Amino acid sequence: MKDKPICVQKKPYVLDMEPGTYAFCTCGRSEKDPFCDGKHANTYFKPEIIKISKAKKIAWCGCKDSEKGAKCDGSHKDL
Ligand code: FES
């Protein structure tokens, strides 16, 4: 049986991001959510790698239920 991701919070993390490469936590176990800290080890989860080419605001999914992966799609409102 597959593990389910852990819902960390039922709202996004809205952050001003600088250009760079980020590893979004998909398992909900990271203590640095919304970013990966390696706690997915021994689960089937892998971080989602997101490349940002220019500075912008991003709403990172905190509930881990978004159909857009790392980006909030409003699914947290139905939890
Ligand atoms: S925080 Fe997950 S869909 Fe909005």
Side-chain angles (χ1 to χ4, degrees):
M1 187 174 109
K2 285 188 171 181
D3 292 334
K4 287 188 172 183
I6 295 168
C7 173
V8 181
Q9 60 178 27
K10 292 182 180 177
K11 60 183 180 181
Y13 299 91
V14 181
L15 302 176
D16 290 312
M17 303 302 299
E18 294 298 322
T21 301
Y22 298 89
F24 172 76
C25 169
T26 61
C27 70
R29 291 161 175 78
S30 173
E31 290 175 23
K32 295 181 178 173
D33 201 54
F35 305 111
C36 175
D37 72 353
K39 294 241 175 16
H40 60 273
N42 301 321
T43 73
Y44 78 98
F45 293 101
K46 299 275 184 269
E48 181 179 340
I49 305 302
I50 302 288
K51 292 184 178 160
I52 298 173
S53 57
K54 57 183 176 183
K56 62 180 169 181
K57 195 178 288 286
I58 292 189
W60 300 98
C61 175
C63 73
K64 313 300 179 188
D65 204 42
S66 173
E67 293 186 10
K68 290 185 179 173
K71 312 271 179 70
C72 173
D73 70 351
S75 295
H76 61 271
K77 293 175 188 154
D78 298 326
L79 296 175

